Amino acid sequence: MDSALRFGSLTIRPPLLLAPMAGLTHSALRTTILLFGGVGLLSTEMLSAARLPAENPHLSPFLIRTPAEQPLSHQLLVSTEQHLPKAIERLHAIGADAVDLNLGCPAPQVRKFGGGALLMEEPDLVRRIVAQARQHTSLPLSAKIRLGESFNEDKLCSFCRMLEGEGIDLLTVHARLRAEPFARKPHWHWIAKVKQWLRIPVVANGSIDTVAGARACLEVTGADGLMIGRRAAGAPWIFAEIARAVYHVSLPEPALSRPATYQHFSRALASRFPPERRLGRLKEFTHYFAKNYAFGHHLASSVQASASFQEACERAGAFFQQHDPTSVEKVQVL
């Protein structure tokens, strides 16, 4: 199994990528993942190309990063090519390592804005967007798509080849149709089709949440790499597990318990984010992390019901004392 892929001027080793996810893929999660290792390319949350030039990278929860968070791809939400020049200029100024175009988000508010998966129905517009992005940056440029509104091989092939022709260096394919929920089994065999059509690297995304699932996805798709989303929040160690088992990467085994992992995340929020930006992100993370426990719904509901960040941390600490006492004996969550 090839343990690296070329993405423009970058070498991604191992070829495991963090998916951009609203409310999740910020600095606190990224550094929590880095405690375990195994991730080849990190990502920001979705960034509005229109608002990005006015964002303060030292204060914005979307842009805050530590020196350890590299290489880091910045994903842009676009609906026209209008805002791309200034947005990309801003990304250059803050030291982005790669640029990703969001062409696959199915969220209704994103589609209402005219972006995400809606753009796959406007190939001429997307052609202009990609051409504009390529014109203004020499950074590695990627795009993330779904399979479309319905299964249409000719339409999907034409769209993907257009992206490659306009200068996309890497394509990530989420193997579901636009309207299909995450609970629906992904159609990995369609990624295999995309891989056959293109010369650029193709990365598979969709329900890759175990070592066995990673192996199965690679076997079906022949993809050059894997992108992991929600499981990265529930199990930040998933990249390390797959890197060792699938790509035979030698990584140290961190002696880090689940409560200590949660502690690192919460302390990262406290140290890097303004008070009003902490609680919502802790709740979002806890929703996924709680699934590590048989009674994790109690952890998720107690944090969700918290009125302050401090209260949420205290409630989480109490849960760990009850359900993971050997790991949390000397650990205070905050």
Side-chain angles (χ1 to χ4, degrees), residues 9 39 58 109 130 221 260 306 310 313-314:
S9 59
V39 62
H58 303 294
Q109 62 268 33
V130 176
T221 65
S306 299
Q310 181 65 37
C313 291
E314 290 171 355

Side-chain angles (χ1 to χ4, degrees), residues 49-62:
R51 295 196 297 266
L52 178 60
E55 294 275 358
N56 184 330
H58 303 294
L59 298 175
S60 168
F62 307 107

Side-chain angles (χ1 to χ4, degrees), residues 51-176:
R51 295 196 297 266
L52 178 60
E55 294 275 358
N56 184 330
H58 303 294
L59 298 175
S60 168
F62 307 107
L63 297 180
I64 290 170
R65 68 185 289 192
T66 64
E69 295 165 59
Q70 57 180 317
L72 177 61
S73 173
H74 288 62
Q75 189 188 68
L76 293 178
L77 172 64
V78 294
S79 58
T80 72
E81 67 270 37
Q82 173 185 354
H83 303 290
L84 274 172
K86 288 186 177 180
I88 290 177
E89 180 181 357
R90 186 63 165 159
L91 293 184
H92 290 164
I94 63 177
D97 298 304
V99 179
D100 183 63
L101 300 176
N102 184 330
L103 306 178
C105 180
Q109 62 268 33
V110 171
R111 295 176 71 247
K112 184 177 180 181
F113 165 78
L118 186 67
L119 287 170
M120 291 189 68
E121 300 303 305
E122 301 286 345
D124 290 337
L125 172 58
V126 173
R127 185 188 299 275
R128 297 196 300 272
I129 288 171
V130 176
Q132 186 77 255
R134 185 74 285 171
Q135 178 183 342
H136 284 86
T137 189
S138 60
L139 289 173
L141 180 64
S142 61
K144 187 168 187 282
I145 67 171
R146 282 199 168 207
L147 298 177
E149 289 289 327
S150 61
F151 294 116
N152 186 322
E153 189 167 320
D154 291 341
K155 186 176 180 180
L156 182 61
C157 178
S158 176
F159 189 83
C160 292
R161 285 180 171 168
M162 176 271 292
L163 295 176
E164 180 180 55
E166 294 298 333
I168 290 294
D169 296 310
L170 177 149
L171 182 64
T172 298
V173 182
H174 183 122
R176 291 184 176 94

Side-chain angles (χ1 to χ4, degrees), residues 10 19 23 41 152 259 299 334:
L10 291 175
L41 182 66
N152 186 322
L299 171 61
L334 190 65

Side-chain angles (χ1 to χ4, degrees), residues 36-37 231-232 234-242 244 258 261 289 292:
F36 300 92
R231 186 58 177 162
W237 48 85
I238 185 65
F239 294 94
E241 291 180 348
I242 295 173
R244 289 191 195 96
R258 288 176 294 186
T261 302
F289 195 80
N292 289 299

Side-chain angles (χ1 to χ4, degrees), residues 246-321:
V246 177
Y247 293 104
H248 309 294
V249 176
S250 177
L251 292 170
E253 293 274 2
L256 204 61
S257 66
R258 288 176 294 186
T261 302
Y262 192 94
Q263 176 190 46
H264 178 277
F265 179 87
S266 61
R267 286 186 168 173
L269 285 176
S271 66
R272 295 173 211 159
F273 292 79
E276 68 275 11
R277 299 290 192 173
R278 298 171 190 167
L279 181 58
R281 282 163 173 76
L282 185 62
K283 289 179 177 181
E284 189 79 17
F285 174 75
T286 306
H287 170 77
Y288 295 100
F289 195 80
K291 295 176 183 179
N292 289 299
Y293 293 90
F295 294 95
H297 58 286
H298 295 308
L299 171 61
S301 61
S302 64
V303 168
Q304 188 64 38
S306 299
S308 70
F309 181 73
Q310 181 65 37
E311 182 183 25
C313 291
E314 290 171 355
R315 289 181 171 185
F319 175 88
F320 293 134
Q321 288 285 359

